[in-house]
Amino acid sequence: MSRVLSGIQPSGTLHIGNYFAMMKPMISMQTDNELFCFIVNYHAMTTLTDGKVLRQNTVDAAMDFLALGLDPDRAHFWVQSDVPEVAELTWILSCHTSLGLLERSHSYKDKLARGITPNTGLFTYPVLMAADILLYNAQIIPVGKDQKQHVEITRDIAIRFNNTYGDIFTIPEPSIQEDIAVIPGTDGQKMSKSYDNTINIFEDEKSLKKKVMKIVTDSTPVEDPKNPDTCTIFALYRLFADKDRIENLRDRYASGGTGYGEVKKELLGLIWEHFRPFREKREMYEKDRGEVINILKKGADKTRAVALPTLEKVKGAVGLNYC
Ligand code: ADP
Ligand code: TRP
């Protein structure tokens, strides 16, 4: 049994990229592992400055996880800021993190390249993520490929800290689903809450249809063969269809005569059916927000009990426990 931990930012509505890369693998691990799953609202603050939206997104993300099958009795399921000790550990770790390590972060450099005016929080974001992981002595971190470097930064920080103070932290390993490493959005770029190209998990039928129909394709005529490996519709289709159906579509692409419009309609049906049972459960939670808040508060209490001994150990090692 391993301790598996991952978090998701409530910076927008959760989409099928988040679902396949992070939420689904996490939920499937709850039976045979000790699962730590949380909503990282401190991280979302690096780019989101509307308190009302942050509040709403946080509870929405919790409802998404619960509807998709996360079991709060089995797992540790909480909101990051409900265990504020993580912010204390972030400060301690930041005093053991070189500037150069953070300057090499691809994710930070990408955000700068996109014209975001960075705040200090965006720059030190990987240290907060390291604190998230190390505070709970997590072993396995399931994330999308774009987050791999952050787990490597966490390892660097932990190894350095352990070299100075002794064996305090567990060194974590990233777990990446290579076959679905980057899920494309409707414009063919990486699907992301910040690119306006998402298909959300709990999209209503009308807007789901609109989004699927606007997926960008090349202009190969209906009768010509098509390349599945460069096709965004195919990349999404293979996430939802079974093996036989995927092979069948591959053959139809190779022989020509199948139009993109026809495949989009099939994809629409697959997505709608895939999330049908979860949608019903989500409606139930929407009607009982109080219950969702209760679950999160109970989850925070359970999680804090794991955090406190680690923090005490760290404070002892660095000399903050002066009495
Ligand atoms: P977003 O880019 O939409 O803001 P996050 O950065 O909050 O998404 O990512 C949450 C999790 O989902 C991370 O583990 C991330 O790697 C994964 N993820 C997000 N988008 C994709 C995608 N398009 N393909 C694969 N994984 C993704
Ligand atoms: N940075 C991650 C993301 O944007 C979210 C995250 C925060 C996280 N803390 C974490 C993921 C700890 C794994 C472990 O997706």
Side-chain angles (χ1 to χ4, degrees), residues 117-216:
T117 310
N119 51 50
T120 311
L122 193 68
F123 182 66
T124 57
Y125 175 118
V127 187
L128 175 58
M129 182 155 160
D132 279 336
I133 295 171
L134 301 176
L135 187 57
Y136 306 107
N137 288 307
Q139 295 165 302
I140 300 189
I141 318 298
V143 281
K145 208 174 180 177
D146 57 314
Q147 293 293 321
K148 188 169 175 221
Q149 194 193 23
H150 287 154
V151 183
E152 282 158 3
I153 293 175
T154 303
R155 288 171 57 90
D156 281 354
I157 294 174
I159 290 169
R160 218 181 136 136
F161 194 94
N162 283 357
N163 282 342
T164 309
Y165 296 110
D167 226 4
I168 309 261
F169 293 128
T170 303
I171 311 299
E173 296 280 347
S175 160
I176 317 275
Q177 305 250 319
E178 288 297 343
D179 53 333
I180 48 168
V182 177
I183 293 161
T186 51
D187 59 357
Q189 307 302 307
K190 173 192 178 264
M191 186 178 290
S192 170
K193 293 178 213 108
S194 21
Y195 299 167
D196 194 26
N197 66 354
T198 59
I199 296 175
N200 299 330
I201 302 169
F202 293 108
E203 203 83 62
D204 69 57
E205 204 165 2
K206 204 169 140 205
S207 98
L208 179 65
K209 187 168 177 194
K210 213 166 131 194
K211 289 187 172 183
V212 171
M213 290 304 163
K214 77 165 195 202
I215 295 174
V216 173

Side-chain angles (χ1 to χ4, degrees), residues 34-99:
E34 225 186 328
L35 191 75
F36 283 64
C37 179
F38 61 140
I39 297 161
V40 295
N41 54 349
Y42 281 148
H43 276 104
M45 286 177 68
T46 58
T47 50
L48 182 60
T49 50
D50 184 329
K52 193 166 162 241
V53 174
L54 182 60
R55 229 180 336 265
Q56 174 77 35
N57 288 354
T58 302
V59 181
D60 278 350
M63 289 198 269
D64 289 351
F65 268 106
L66 293 169
L68 292 167
L70 188 118
D71 177 352
D73 291 327
R74 259 181 209 277
H76 288 75
F77 180 56
W78 78 107
V79 175
Q80 186 183 32
S81 65
D82 281 339
V83 184
E85 285 78 8
V86 74
E88 196 174 350
L89 181 60
T90 301
W91 175 253
I92 298 171
L93 295 181
S94 65
C95 297
H96 292 81
T97 305
S98 72
L99 215 58

